[in-house]
Each structure stands twice: as structure tokens, then as C-alpha cells.
Amino acid sequence: MPWHGCAVHELSICQGLLEQVEALVREHGACGVSRIYLRIGPLSGTEPVLLEQAFTFARVGTLADGAELVIDTLPIRVRCKTCAAETEATPNRLVCGNCGAWHTELLQGDELLLASLDLELEDTHV
Amino acid sequence: MCDTCGCNITPGNLHLVSGQGKLARTEDGKAAVTVLTSLLHENDQQANHNRLHFNAHHTLAINLMSAPGSGKTALLEATIEALKDEFKLAVIEGDLETENDAARIRAKGVPAVQITTGSACHLDAHMVHDALHGMSLDGVDILFIENVGNLVCPASFDLGHHLNITLLSVTEGDDKPAKYPVMFRAADLLLITKTDLLAVLDDFDPQAAERHLRELANTAPALRISARKGNGMTDWLDWLRQTLAAHRTGLRQGGTSRPSVQPDGILLHGLEPSAVSHSHTHPHHHLLAPPTPLIPRQG
């Protein structure tokens, strides 16, 4: 079921993504890319479902036209500055899951990363 | 050459085909390349360029964000009125359409450049860079960037500024920080505005708003003001003065302030600074000596 959120944001992220991918393909002398791995956290301000939808449009006619987008969504984890515990948290409740203190540091959960690529090199074509 | 059984792998090139190496192979024979770069890398590079520009002029750049109608422009008008003989100010305005807000600022005697985004729901570093071509930062103490009224998208985009201020008016819900965590987590200061209206409202609790902010693990101060009636303006102006002074001290020590918009996660993944965009939460610029934290948060 398609979402109709503010997908303009995800579309502009796709454009930036594809520019990075094309540059990396050229940098490695590859002839294409088969898989693009992203890491997106709940606090990144970007919605993975919308990004996937935007990608199916944005990739057309580019080096990544046939590429599969794989999105790893890591849970939010915080480290407590009071008791040092590392616990999972939710986007609007980033307090320590152990002692309840709100002086925490985010370990994971706001990523918006191009993590890695599976490139097609010339010598992989038999 | 036999890659399948690894017989051409030597101690000298083993690292290249291990999991972290640039030429690691996937099961289907593709070359796996680790990247770990922000998807907003291009914006972040432009933002860092903007930040260098601000720092060269010793200008404190502040990004004002809020829902539409929370009182950003009114806040600027009142702030200009109070500070115009004390500091040199400039404003970049962001709206989808009209020059109305820039006109209001200019009417107060302060230079303003209007960015009309058309349909873009947020400002980005490239738009701000272009706007800077329309103004001089010579002698400018504080540049306010009034972002597009929107509690969703603006928080994700580094403009090259030093601090985020998020406004929340008392005619909005006091649970907005819980509803828009990315935006309110990014605030270096929460301004609760239109407080003169609290007398006729029975459903906004400023303490609840602050509590929701704390649950985002945000230590930023929360000030209450009415730009129109003057309530709380003294504390707001003092915060500005202290912030500007702290920022300038930090610049002299070779660092820069950064807003809370950058992801902590990147730093803690232990990535090389050169492998990622320059965005990270610690006040740090890799071309300058690492500074001490500059804008002390209260609480």
C-alpha cells in the first residue's frame, strides 16, 4: 500500500544517493551496481518505505537502474550518563531504560548512511 | 587466477579480500565496497563551506525553526528593535512564496534576503549559499536564518549554521516535542512563544512541553516569551548575548559551534572523519585545533 507522505524529501535524498553511487562506480572502474545497502535510523528524519518508493522512480535511466535497494533499520540505542547502561529506546522517549535518567547519549538510531555497494566489475561477467 | 578457492590470495593482499577490504567479494561475485557516507553528504559539504564563511566574519548564524505561524518573524522584529543599536544583524528569510517576511525585516532597518523555495519544504545549504551572495557579512554579529515553517523536514538539513532554535507557540499542543522528536531533539534552545495568550488558554502547560523535551534527552534551555508584549524578552536577549560571546571565545580558541542536527550515530560508529561528511555533534573542525565545548547547555 503506497504511502503519500512528504516523499519529496525522500526523492531528493534519492538524487543525492544516486550521485554518490555513480561517482563510486566510476571511482572503482565498475560497470554497474547490483545492490545498494543503506542504514537508516528512526531518528534520521527519513522514512525507509518512502525512500524505497522514491528509489524505484529515481533510479530509472541511471547506472543503478537495475539495482536492488537494501535498507538496514537499526533500533535506537542510548547510553546513560548516570548509570552507564546501554538500552533500547523509542524516538520520543530517549531516556535510560535502566534508571530512567534523561541525560543519555545516542549510540545508534539517527543514521542516514550509504553503507556499502555491490559493484559489477568487468571480470565478473563470464 | 582462481578467486573461488582463494589460491591467489597472499598475505600481502589478504586484507583486500577480507570483509573490510575494498575488493571483498559477495557470494554472487560482485565487489562489495564499504562506503559509510551520509546520504546528505553533498549538503553537508556545502554547509561546512558556509560555516567557514560565517566563521571568517565572526558571524553567529542561527537557524530558526517552527510550525507555520509560531511567531518566528515577530520574534525577529522584536529582537531587532531591542538589539539594533547593540549588534549588527542580518536575516535570511525562507518561504515557499512571497517576500513578505523579508520586507518586514527590512522595514526594521536590517538587511534581509528572501529565499523563495517554490515547493521545497525546507531550506538547504545550497539555498543559503546562494542567498549569501546577496548580502555582505562584513561586521555582522548575528545572522538569523528563518527557515520554512515546518516541523518535519528542516531539522535534517545543516545550513552551515551554529545553533538551532525551535519555537513552540502556546496555541499549539504542549506535546509537540513528543510528536516531532527529530525537530525538537535538534533544538539548542526551545522558545515557548505567545505566552501572553496563556491567560486565555487552559490547555497548554509549559512544564509539560519542557518535560517532553527532556524525554528526548535534550538538555537545551526552555524560555518563555511574548514578542508582542515583551514578556521574557530580557532572558531571551541575555541568552543571545551570552551565546554570541561564547561563540566568539570558541572561535578565538580555534573551534566552531555546531548545531544538534548532526547524527551522533556516525561518530560512534568509529568512522574516519575523512570517510564521512564533516557533520558531527562535537564542536570540532578538522582543519582547526579541537576546541572545548562552546555553548554550555544548562540543566
Side-chain angles (χ1 to χ4, degrees), chain A residues 14-83:
Chain A
C14 275
Q15 284 165 351
L17 166 63
L18 287 165
E19 281 164 12
Q20 281 190 44
V21 168
E22 291 202 5
L24 286 160
V25 166
R26 278 195 303 272
E27 182 189 317
H28 287 86
C31 60
V33 55
S34 62
R35 232 177 255 117
I36 300 170
Y37 295 89
L38 303 183
R39 205 176 292 167
I40 299 183
L43 287 170
S44 65
T46 298
E47 192 52 46
V49 170
L50 295 178
L51 195 59
E52 281 165 357
Q53 288 174 356
F55 183 71
T56 58
F57 293 105
R59 70 179 174 178
V60 172
T62 72
L63 277 174
D65 204 332
E68 183 191 350
L69 194 65
V70 179
I71 302 182
D72 185 15
T73 54
L74 304 176
I76 299 172
R77 290 188 63 78
V78 297
R79 179 191 294 138
C80 183
K81 293 183 182 177
T82 303
C83 75

Side-chain angles (χ1 to χ4, degrees), chain B residues 14 44 70 77 126 150 192 211 224 238 243 247 253 265:
Chain B
L14 178 62
D44 293 346
S70 300
E77 288 171 320
H126 297 286
N150 177 351
I192 296 174
R211 201 169 55 245
R224 305 172 194 187
D238 281 344
T243 301
H247 175 69
Q253 291 170 354

Side-chain angles (χ1 to χ4, degrees), chain A residues 6 8-9 12-13 16-17 19-20 24 27-28 34-35 37-40 42-46 51 74 79 90-95 102-121 123-125, chain B residues 3 22-23 25-26 28-42 119-122 150 152-153 156-157 177-179 181-182 185 212 214-219 261-266 268-269 271 276 282 298-299:
Chain A
C6 183
V8 173
H9 175 71
S12 70
I13 298 232
L17 166 63
E19 281 164 12
Q20 281 190 44
L24 286 160
E27 182 189 317
H28 287 86
S34 62
R35 232 177 255 117
Y37 295 89
L38 303 183
R39 205 176 292 167
I40 299 183
L43 287 170
S44 65
T46 298
L51 195 59
L74 304 176
R79 179 191 294 138
T90 58
N92 59 14
R93 201 154 187 279
L94 296 170
V95 302
W102 53 264
H103 284 88
T104 62
E105 152 188 45
L106 193 74
L107 296 176
Q108 177 177 287
D110 60 358
E111 300 82 3
L112 187 60
L113 294 179
L114 168 57
S116 65
L117 299 175
D118 288 350
L119 297 178
E120 287 159 0
L121 301 181
D123 61 10
T124 61
H125 295 295
Chain B
D3 282 351
K22 280 201 164 184
L23 298 177
R25 294 291 174 143
T26 65
D28 53 356
K30 312 297 182 196
V33 176
T34 302
V35 182
L36 291 174
T37 307
S38 170
L39 293 180
L40 294 173
H41 179 64
E42 211 210 311
S119 59
C121 50
H122 60 272
N150 177 351
V152 182
C153 313
S156 300
F157 291 88
K179 290 184 176 178
V182 176
R185 192 174 155 254
H212 289 301
R214 299 294 165 237
E215 294 203 331
L216 302 177
N218 191 340
T219 58
V261 72
Q262 281 86 24
D264 299 329
I266 278 190
L268 294 160
H269 285 294
L271 301 172
V276 299
H282 300 317
Q298 290 147 35

Side-chain angles (χ1 to χ4, degrees), chain B residues 277-294:
Chain B
S277 67
H278 302 308
S279 45
H280 39 70
T281 53
H282 300 317
H284 169 77
H285 194 288
H286 78 294
L287 292 179
L288 305 170
T292 52
L294 293 170

